[in-house]
């Protein structure tokens, strides 16, 4: 069943790319890093997962690309879907605990090998568009920059999941949009780490919302301070849609 779902999802991603008119903005800087063989971390909100395989290709990505994907049911489907595009998976999350530590070791190993790692700093449990500090810790330990990344499509549905998952529709005008890199010093205290977390969160939200506005779309706000992590339904299970 999961294999079937992942195959259908990969087919839908290809359909959206083939029928749409897509452009890339801000891709020169990450393309330069790729040309120079320099590793980096890519971050995007969980709601913007679907078209990321093509975002990577839009800047000439031909080196190994790894996505950090959680081990829950939806995570397995996502992992199988992106495998159709030659993207590898690191299972786990950057949260605390044994599983988080193991995932962090794999992330550091991939980056040290010159590869690129993609992460959703609000996944897999949310709150929506609120960054955890795991990506900051990974960038500090590996000594690599973090590139904010998003995409938007002129025709879309927004699912009623915890992340407000964005589902582009065929024949859309689309934009892959890279932001300026965020650098994390190796020697940084707890206050500095929190400042970098906030900097990254604000930069990624601003990039995402500005890209939506450029296509005349209503922006999706971050979760409020009282919203709890992992609210009820996943993107795959959600049936409601928004604007």
């Amino acid at each position: 069943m999961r294999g079937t779902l992942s195959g259908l999802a990969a087919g839908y991603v290809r359909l959206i790319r083939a029928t749409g008119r897509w452009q890339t903005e801000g891709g020169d800087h990450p393309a330069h890093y790729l040309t120079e063989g320099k590793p980096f971390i890519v971050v995007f909100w969980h709601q913007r997962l679907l078209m990321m395989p093509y975002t990577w290709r839009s800047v000439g990505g031909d080196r190994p690309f790894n996505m950090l994907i959680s081990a829950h049911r939806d995570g397995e489907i996502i992992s199988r879907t992106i495998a159709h595009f030659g993207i590898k998976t690191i299972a786990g999350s950057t949260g605390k605990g044994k599983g988080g530590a193991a995932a962090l070791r794999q992330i550091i190993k991939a980056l040290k090998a010159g590869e690129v790692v993609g992460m959703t700093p609000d996944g897999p449990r949310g709150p929506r568009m609120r960054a955890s500090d795991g990506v900051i810790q990974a960038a500090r330990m590996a000594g690599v920059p973090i590139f904010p990344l998003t995409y938007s499509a002129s025709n879309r549905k927004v699912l009623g999941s915890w992340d407000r998952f964005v589902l582009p529709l065929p024949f859309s005008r689309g934009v892959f949009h890279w932001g300026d890199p965020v650098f994390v010093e190796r020697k940084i205290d707890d206050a500095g780490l929190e400042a970098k977390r906030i900097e990254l969160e604000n930069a990624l939200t601003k990039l995402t919302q500005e890209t939506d506005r450029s296509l005349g779309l209503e922006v999706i706000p971050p979760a409020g301070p009282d919203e709890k992590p992992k609210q009820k339904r996943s993107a795959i299970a959600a049936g409601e849609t928004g604007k």
Side-chain angles (χ1 to χ4, degrees), residues 182-215:
V182 174
F183 296 94
V184 182
E185 299 80 9
R186 287 183 181 272
K187 294 183 179 180
I188 190 170
D189 59 16
D190 289 346
L193 286 170
E194 174 62 10
K196 283 295 178 181
R197 186 197 67 78
I198 294 173
E199 177 186 345
L200 178 64
E201 180 177 283
N202 290 341
L204 186 52
T205 295
K206 181 180 179 181
L207 180 73
T208 301
Q209 293 185 338
E210 286 182 348
T211 305
D212 282 350
R213 288 192 185 98
S214 72
L215 294 175

Side-chain angles (χ1 to χ4, degrees), residues 24-27 29-31 33-34 38-46 48-49 51-69 87-88 90 94 107 110-111 114-123 131-132 134-136 138-139 142 144-151 176-182 200 204 207-208:
T24 298
E25 296 182 3
H29 207 157
Y33 267 72
L34 291 170
K38 298 177 181 178
F40 55 87
I41 295 173
V42 183
V43 295
F44 42 88
W45 295 131
H46 197 272
R48 310 284 165 149
L49 264 170
M51 299 302 295
M52 285 305 155
Y54 282 107
T55 309
W56 172 238
R57 293 181 179 183
S58 73
V59 292
D62 57 0
R63 281 189 289 128
F65 185 31
N66 307 267
M67 274 290 298
L68 179 66
I69 303 291
I87 296 175
K88 299 188 295 184
I90 296 175
T94 54
I107 291 168
L111 292 168
E115 300 180 4
V116 177
V117 176
M119 302 168 65
T120 55
D122 60 342
S132 68
V135 62
I136 304 298
V144 300
I146 306 168
F147 277 92
L149 173 62
T150 194
Y151 79 83
F176 299 135
H177 200 170
W178 294 79
D180 294 330
V182 174
L200 178 64
L204 186 52
L207 180 73
T208 301

Side-chain angles (χ1 to χ4, degrees), residues 62-121:
D62 57 0
R63 281 189 289 128
F65 185 31
N66 307 267
M67 274 290 298
L68 179 66
I69 303 291
S70 69
H72 60 64
R73 184 191 67 175
D74 286 5
E76 183 178 345
I77 295 172
I78 293 168
S79 179
R80 292 187 182 192
T81 299
I82 64 176
H84 285 267
F85 300 92
I87 296 175
K88 299 188 295 184
T89 298
I90 296 175
S93 70
T94 54
K96 297 179 180 179
K98 184 177 180 181
L104 183 58
R105 286 194 296 270
Q106 291 185 64
I107 291 168
I108 301 303
K109 181 179 179 180
L111 292 168
K112 292 292 187 181
E115 300 180 4
V116 177
V117 176
M119 302 168 65
T120 55

